Amino acid sequence: MKLSVKEFVKDFKNQFQSMYAYPYEEGSTEQLYNALGLLIKNYVSSNWKDTRESYIKQSAKQVYYFSMEFLPGRQLKSNTYNLGLLETVSKGLDQLGLSLDELAEAEADPALGNGGLGRLASCFMDSLASMAIPGNGNGIRYQYGLFRQKFVDGYQVELPENWLRYRNVWETRNDKSTCMVRFGGNVWLEENEQGHLEPKYENTLNVLAVPYDTPMVGYKNERVNNLRLWSAEIPVEEESNYLTIDATDPIKEITEALYPDDSNYEGRLLRLKQEYFMVSAGVQSILRHYRKYNMPRKNIPDKVAIHINDTHPALVIPEMMRILIDEEHLSWDQAWEITFKTCSYTNHTILREALEKWPIDMMKELLPRIYMIIEEINNRYVEHMLPLYGERITWQTAILQNGVVNMAHLAVIGSHSVNGVAQLHTDILMNDVLKDFFEIYPERFNNKTNGITQRRWMHLANPDLTQLLDDKIGKAWKSNPAELKVFKGYEKDKQTIKELAEVKLNNKKKLAAHIEKVKGITVDPNAIFDVQIKRLHAYKRQHMNLLHILHRYLEIKQNPSVDYVPRVFIFGAKAAPSYVYAKQIIKVINAVGDLVNNDPDIGNKLKVVFFENYGVSLAEKIIPATDVSEQISLASMEASGTSNMKFMANGALTLATLDGANIEIRDYVGEENMFIFGLTSDEVYEVRGNGSYNARELYQSNSTVKRVLDALINGTILNLEGEGDALFDSLVNYNDEYLVLKDFESYIQAHEAIDALYKDQKEWTRKSLLNIASSAPFSADYTISRYAEDIWKVKPCCPGKLKVQPRNEPMY
Ligand code: 26W
């Protein structure tokens, strides 16, 4: 967009005055932010409208990405940047004595997701718009996001995250497009005058779904897609039925809060309500849109692709069937053909406890018509498969099993494509978790390795690195990440290495200042910044990291002259409120932090920083300042990981097991430019399969392991209330489910190799440079191109006057 600084300044003053009726000089930071945000949204709006119209005019095929979670991060700078106005706005604000960075910090970071899956959805939204692909998000406008985490005495405490308190400038409430979603009651089928069987409903709970639309701004291409988040309200015509405030609770609670668990499925009725609410409103609004243009129903799969982000939105399948059969009067076979050609599904986890299985009784009572349809899908599936595959495979892959609805099975049976999120993960789906399905439908399975948007995670989060890259290799990499590989040519250039080291040091100084400010801990920017930021889960093994810190602490205590390079261990992690073990790990890390940070014998050799309330905004501060990226999950357990890619792109060296996308990182950057340790996935399968692992024996025979584990229970760590014993028990008495002790020695050795390399700063920085230069394949733009070509069959859409990004060909 073209705009002079002068025009911007004038617009901003007018905007402020029209909102608050006094001059901007008197505004609070929040007010100034609101005015700026709304102004930017105004700038976006004509492109938003044009993009929508161009999709309709060209009758372009559109993708609808259904996800229970989105983690967009703050949007002021990203929208301004993608519009091409960052410099103009920044200069204009300077002239007014204001700072863009300061105003940007006033924005609430919408935590409408738990972790990787939600953040991936938002990276994908950014890439869809930037690749000019007609794409829409569909989700829930939770009134409360993921809890705000505080530490009290080292324990996690959860506080409500009321992100909408000061309004959300990016959203537009769209009352014209509401839908009605029905729950419960009785349903039966009656023949109507045309001889169709029509469902009749009585005593249903009717909920109004109100959409709030948010612009998804493409990078300098005038494209603006839509993210539609639904909110539950009482239907206006039924308001008089709700006589007390309490009576409205069953409706309001549907979109009140995000479930804070990303690894443990619990069959909670409210969660099922949320899933159906989002799905039903989304599918209704899509089909209504196409009905308006009188499109033949059988052409729906040529115009619509619906993506199911994990199984949470898998009810899309029966809901689409319901509408096509009950409301559009299609035959079962016609409806099925349309539905399964339209839908595709991504699996994001192999953790058994995370796979959704809803009790049949619950489903029947809450969604009687939907359950009837699921039953029919299941019956037809079983009837079809029995003669072809026999009893075992048929029953093991059925949707209805032992009183539950298996949502992964529903998703696989009702989708034309099933994908994993990294090659190893997809292999595990095909060979283990969904093995029988792979035998039945081999053509449906494919891999789509995750990606990240470099715009947020490099251009905006790391401006100094971006400037350096611009200076050295030109600006083409910004719209064509493949160009990043040109940076490899600088690995031997002393000047570049020096400048790159300065960029990192500068970022570390900024983070050190932030640490001082929020934690009161003084850290040395010349120390190694060693970072693990992600949800807290035993399989991710933050406790292995903790044991290594303890190991170093004990070594230094025993031998003060031990040759360790000073290290700052940085953590950020939320634990699900009901996940007791994860919370115990948090407490022990905090307690070890207190011990280490306050011990005069330790000094700068070791510091531990555990940030509170980890989220997108904090990640943007931490990642550019990281030297070592800890990706230490037990091999086979982490589907992909995406922070691993963000760290790599920002020049951190990865300390990793061969899990998820770490393997692909190694393939691109080379094993010699990272630190790999631990069992491989095959070895993990073997050790766990043959039952040979004996953690107690390892504890008793290995003096390093013994010393560290004993420190958990012998009073070395102060202020514990049994959490050290709990960790000890899980590792020794319950045989160490995630093989922490098994990988521990090789983990320690990898850390020693890190120290050795860090002493050679030039060599370290050379490897850092190679990581940055090899990170292009993890651009979400590529991932999205592959989804678009292989799964959704959608093309970039370019109406006459719009400039469109050159299409990036897959490079590797
Ligand atoms: C029903 C409770 C629940 C909620 C969320 C179960 C599982 C989830 C998600 C699928 C968990 C998740 O976020 N998985 C992560 O997805 C990322 C994006 O693909 C991957 O990079 C991570 O490895 C994976 O853990």
Side-chain angles (χ1 to χ4, degrees):
M1 179 183 173
K2 287 221 167 358
L3 184 80
S4 71
V5 174
K6 203 168 148 199
E7 284 164 328
F8 165 73
V9 167
K10 187 169 153 237
D11 289 350
F12 179 74
K13 285 183 180 166
N14 287 340
Q15 177 74 36
F16 191 92
Q17 174 129 354
S18 71
M19 284 171 70
Y20 297 105
Y22 46 78
Y24 78 91
E25 289 94 334
E26 292 167 35
S28 69
T29 310
E30 279 74 25
Q31 290 174 326
L32 292 162
Y33 157 74
N34 280 335
L36 181 58
L38 277 181
L39 178 59
I40 299 293
K41 187 169 169 233
N42 287 345
Y43 290 154
V44 165
S45 64
S46 70
N47 288 342
W48 200 3
K49 171 181 141 293
D50 289 348
T51 305
R52 188 172 167 275
E53 287 175 358
S54 74
Y55 294 160
I56 294 170
K57 212 162 114 202
Q58 302 194 19
S59 177
K61 182 168 184 181
Q62 299 197 40
V63 189
Y64 295 85
Y65 197 84
F66 276 51
S67 179
M68 288 287 281
E69 308 191 3
F70 288 91
L71 281 171
R74 290 177 174 142
Q75 291 157 89
L76 178 63
K77 276 170 82 176
S78 59
N79 284 343
T80 309
Y81 180 64
N82 284 2
L83 267 180
L85 292 183
L86 199 61
E87 230 185 282
T88 311
V89 168
S90 185
K91 279 190 186 148
L93 291 173
D94 273 355
Q95 282 186 10
L96 299 171
L98 300 170
S99 137
L100 175 59
D101 282 335
E102 242 168 67
L103 298 197
E105 293 267 335
E107 179 173 354
D109 180 343
L112 309 185
N114 274 286
L117 162 130
R119 182 53 229 172
L120 183 76
S122 286
C123 278
F124 280 3
M125 292 292 42
D126 183 271
S127 284
L128 279 166
S130 297
M131 304 292 290
I133 291 172
N136 308 269
N138 190 76
I140 291 183
R141 180 180 181 267
Y142 301 103
Q143 203 184 331
Y144 290 90
L146 184 62
F147 64 86
R148 185 179 290 274
Q149 179 196 51
K150 266 188 80 69
F151 295 145
V152 175
D153 210 10
Y155 292 100
Q156 168 174 299
V157 173
E158 300 101 27
L159 303 173
E161 172 61 4
N162 188 3
W163 72 290
L164 289 167
R165 182 186 298 247
Y166 301 111
R167 81 183 283 182
N168 168 14
V169 296
W170 304 111
E171 67 184 11
T172 299
R173 181 182 164 109
N174 204 335
D175 282 293
K176 204 181 87 210
S177 304
T178 57
C179 299
M180 196 70 82
V181 179
R182 269 188 305 241
F183 292 100
N186 299 316
V187 193
W188 65 95
L189 299 176
E190 251 178 45
E191 202 172 305
N192 67 10
E193 282 167 11
Q194 290 86 38
H196 294 299
L197 279 181
E198 217 171 72
K200 296 284 168 200
Y201 295 84
E202 68 177 13
N203 296 331
T204 52
L205 175 72
N206 301 330
V207 181
L208 188 71
V210 181
Y212 285 75
D213 290 343
T214 301
M216 296 286 113
V217 182
Y219 177 58
K220 297 185 183 168
N221 67 355
E222 299 177 23
R223 288 342 214 44
V224 181
N225 283 338
N226 197 27
L227 169 63
R228 175 161 281 190
L229 301 180
W230 297 95
S231 182
E233 292 187 14
I234 294 160
V236 182
E237 59 280 12
E238 293 185 21
E239 242 164 12
S240 55
N241 302 346
Y242 292 86
L243 295 178
T244 62
I245 298 277
D246 287 355
T248 63
D249 284 353
I251 291 198
K252 283 193 300 202
E253 70 179 7
I254 297 175
T255 51
E256 199 157 54
L258 167 82
Y259 272 96
D261 206 320
D262 74 335
S263 56
N264 204 23
Y265 152 78
E266 274 183 275
R268 298 267 188 98
L269 181 64
L270 180 57
R271 167 82 177 182
L272 185 58
K273 275 190 196 160
Q274 293 186 328
E275 292 184 355
Y276 182 67
F277 173 76
M278 183 268 266
V279 157
S280 178
V283 177
Q284 286 186 54
S285 105
I286 294 169
L287 293 180
R288 180 174 58 195
H289 177 77
Y290 288 94
R291 212 174 287 151
K292 220 165 87 186
Y293 300 99
N294 275 329
M295 190 182 56
R297 298 293 166 263
K298 70 174 181 1
N299 294 353
I300 290 174
D302 302 329
K303 296 295 166 195
V304 181
I306 297 185
H307 202 79
I308 301 174
N309 198 26
D310 215 89
T311 57
H312 322 146
L315 292 176
V316 159
I317 294 158
E319 176 66 1
M320 203 161 166
M321 291 295 285
R322 181 188 72 76
I323 297 176
L324 293 176
I325 294 172
D326 293 353
E327 294 177 11
E328 315 258 334
H329 306 301
L330 265 56
S331 73
W332 180 277
D333 289 337
Q334 288 169 328
W336 183 251
E337 165 117 355
I338 292 168
T339 300
F340 117 96
K341 280 189 176 162
T342 302
C343 295
S344 51
Y345 155 61
T346 298
N347 172 290
H348 292 266
T349 183
I350 63 158
L351 285 182
R352 291 200 182 272
E353 64 269 29
L355 300 179
E356 289 187 298
K357 291 176 182 150
W358 293 103
I360 286 179
D361 291 343
M362 189 190 278
M363 186 84 83
K364 233 187 218 167
E365 202 174 321
L366 184 71
L367 308 168
R369 180 65 186 138
I370 290 298
Y371 180 71
M372 284 176 171
I373 292 169
I374 294 176
E375 205 171 29
E376 184 65 20
I377 298 173
N378 185 63
N379 290 344
R380 286 174 185 246
Y381 174 79
V382 168
E383 208 170 287
H384 183 70
M385 291 303 168
L386 265 178
L388 297 174
Y389 293 93
E391 299 267 340
R392 189 195 65 82
I393 290 203
T394 302
W395 293 116
Q396 280 189 12
T397 53
I399 301 169
L400 303 181
Q401 305 173 306
N402 308 322
V404 297
V405 182
N406 186 320
M407 297 292 272
H409 293 186
L410 173 64
V412 175
I413 291 168
S415 301
H416 66 278
S417 166
V418 178
N419 75 282
V421 291
Q423 190 58 57
L424 174 70
H425 170 60
T426 302
D427 290 343
I428 291 173
L429 292 179
M430 296 190 299
N431 301 327
D432 180 20
V433 182
L434 299 174
K435 182 166 176 281
D436 294 331
F437 278 119
F438 182 52
E439 193 178 325
I440 299 174
Y441 307 122
E443 72 291 348
R444 292 190 189 180
F445 284 76
N446 62 92
N447 176 56
K448 294 285 167 284
T449 300
N450 285 162
I452 56 161
T453 166
Q454 272 129 354
R455 290 169 285 279
R456 177 173 293 269
W457 296 106
M458 294 179 85
H459 309 188
L460 286 165
N462 201 342
D464 292 353
L465 175 62
T466 301
Q467 187 62 53
L468 180 70
L469 285 165
D470 286 354
D471 293 347
K472 300 293 171 186
I473 63 171
K475 292 186 175 173
W477 69 278
K478 284 178 166 160
S479 45
N480 180 13
E483 290 283 320
L484 272 174
K485 65 175 180 286
V486 178
F487 199 40
K488 280 186 191 162
Y490 289 80
E491 66 168 313
K492 298 203 173 89
D493 182 64
K494 284 195 184 124
Q495 180 59 24
T496 305
I497 295 288
K498 187 171 150 260
E499 289 172 37
L500 181 59
E502 277 167 14
V503 167
K504 182 63 82 179
L505 183 63
N506 209 14
N507 290 337
K508 287 167 75 176
K509 284 181 181 160
K510 282 189 213 154
L511 184 63
H514 188 65
I515 292 172
E516 180 86 54
K517 183 172 139 207
V518 300
K519 300 289 295 183
I521 302 171
T522 309
V523 300
D524 175 5
N526 292 304
I528 299 175
F529 281 20
D530 178 318
V531 178
Q532 188 173 17
I533 43 175
K534 47 185 82 249
R535 282 302 285 259
L536 213 136
H537 198 290
Y539 85 79
K540 297 179 188 276
R541 302 199 293 190
Q542 280 96 348
H543 51 327
M544 186 163 75
N545 189 342
L546 164 77
L547 292 185
H548 170 250
I549 298 171
L550 256 182
H551 166 75
R552 286 208 164 202
Y553 172 75
L554 297 169
E555 281 289 303
I556 298 170
K557 290 298 271 187
Q558 199 175 41
N559 173 12
S561 65
V562 59
D563 189 21
Y564 284 149
V565 177
R567 255 310 163 123
V568 182
F569 289 95
I570 297 171
F571 293 88
K574 289 181 180 176
S578 62
Y579 191 172
V580 174
Y581 187 58
K583 290 177 137 179
Q584 289 169 327
I585 294 174
I586 290 182
K587 168 66 185 174
V588 182
I589 297 175
N590 277 326
V592 169
D594 285 344
L595 179 73
V596 165
N597 296 343
N598 298 313
D599 187 330
D601 294 350
I602 302 297
N604 267 348
K605 284 193 191 132
L606 222 51
K607 291 281 174 210
V608 179
V609 176
F610 201 145
F611 280 110
E612 286 171 312
N613 203 35
Y614 174 63
V616 174
S617 296
L618 198 52
E620 288 166 2
K621 290 194 170 72
I622 297 172
I623 292 171
T626 297
D627 295 308
V628 177
S629 151
E630 299 251 7
Q631 308 298 336
I632 60 176
S633 52
L634 175 64
S636 78
M637 305 298 293
E638 188 69 273
S640 161
T642 42
S643 75
N644 45 4
M645 303 166 183
K646 296 165 196 165
F647 282 116
M648 178 197 197
N650 282 281
L653 269 53
T654 311
L655 166 58
T657 50
L658 288 175
D659 199 12
N662 301 343
I663 297 177
E664 286 152 78
I665 289 181
R666 177 205 57 186
D667 293 344
Y668 289 120
V669 75
E671 188 161 356
E672 67 286 5
N673 296 313
M674 59 196 290
F675 303 93
I676 290 173
F677 73 97
L679 298 181
T680 63
S681 166
D682 286 345
E683 288 164 348
V684 169
Y685 268 78
E686 201 185 311
V687 170
R688 285 180 144 193
N690 67 19
S692 65
Y693 181 52
N694 186 334
R696 173 177 295 278
E697 210 171 273
L698 211 159
Y699 161 71
Q700 280 162 345
S701 62
N702 182 316
S703 58
T704 311
V705 169
K706 182 155 193 318
R707 185 177 66 169
V708 168
L709 289 186
D710 286 345
L712 290 173
I713 52 172
N714 65 10
T716 305
I717 310 165
L718 307 176
N719 294 321
L720 292 182
E721 304 272 352
E723 294 82 12
D725 305 82
L727 252 72
F728 181 92
D729 280 350
S730 75
L731 295 171
V732 178
N733 298 330
Y734 294 98
N735 209 30
D736 182 15
E737 191 179 349
Y738 296 103
L739 308 182
V740 168
L741 306 184
K742 183 93 183 157
D743 277 348
F744 192 52
E745 290 249 83
S746 103
Y747 182 56
I748 292 179
Q749 281 162 17
H751 273 297
E752 281 164 6
I754 287 172
D755 274 11
L757 181 68
Y758 198 79
K759 286 178 190 159
D760 185 347
Q761 270 296 294
K762 289 202 180 94
E763 186 58 5
W764 180 279
T765 309
R766 186 181 70 83
K767 288 179 193 277
S768 163
L769 179 147
L770 290 176
N771 271 273
I772 298 164
S774 310
S775 66
F778 300 105
S779 159
D781 296 353
Y782 294 127
T783 313
I784 279 297
S785 306
R786 291 179 192 127
Y787 272 94
E789 280 163 22
D790 302 348
I791 302 179
W792 303 327
K793 316 283 182 208
V794 291
K795 292 196 174 64
C797 175
C798 43
K801 76 178 178 71
L802 293 184
K803 246 195 358 242
V804 166
Q805 282 279 105
R807 187 129 169 80
N808 294 314
E809 292 308 320
M811 306 171 294
Y812 294 89

